[in-house]
Amino acid sequence: MSGKKQSRSKARRSTGFRSRFESMTATALTKAKVQWTYESEVWKYTIPAKVHKYRPDFIVTRKDGSVLIIETKGIFTAADRKKHLINKDLYPDFD
């Protein structure tokens, strides 16, 4: 390639990928004999209107490496439940 930068649309036409990094990743996956697809699915998601922060009371790392979140609550309100369900969806690997 010459010293000129390719536009995204030109790169897409010549390689089928949106970026050179994606093309390089596809090459690496193929060389590693990994089965892959490129942009074969579309996932819908909703971005909440406002970013919130959550600070768990206790984080326990189990011997197997999994993580357990312990939240101590005197009263578990509907708002608390909603917050916990949102965080469970965002961080499914945590119990």
Side-chain angles (χ1 to χ4, degrees):
M1 185 168 154
S2 67
K4 291 183 180 178
K5 201 173 182 182
Q6 278 189 336
S7 71
R8 277 192 168 189
S9 59
K10 189 173 182 181
R12 174 87 180 199
R13 283 193 302 269
S14 65
T15 66
F17 298 98
R18 293 179 189 259
S19 71
R20 199 162 124 203
F21 185 56
E22 289 177 346
S23 178
M24 291 167 50
T25 301
T27 300
L29 290 170
T30 300
K31 283 183 181 179
K33 298 183 180 174
V34 173
Q35 208 172 28
W36 59 273
T37 62
Y38 176 72
E39 293 189 347
S40 60
E41 297 182 22
V42 176
W43 296 354
K44 292 183 180 181
Y45 63 94
T46 302
I47 299 173
K50 184 178 175 187
V51 175
H52 297 273
K53 293 181 182 179
Y54 170 60
R55 186 180 310 237
D57 291 332
F58 301 93
I59 300 173
V60 177
T61 303
R62 297 179 178 131
K63 289 181 182 179
D64 66 355
S66 64
V67 176
L68 173 68
I69 303 297
I70 300 174
E71 186 65 31
T72 55
K73 290 281 183 200
I75 298 173
F76 197 65
T77 66
D80 291 327
R81 178 170 169 70
K82 183 177 178 180
K83 176 175 67 174
H84 286 265
L85 291 173
I86 289 169
N87 279 290
K88 181 64 177 166
D89 285 344
L90 292 173
Y91 306 100
D93 293 334
F94 296 156
D95 280 335

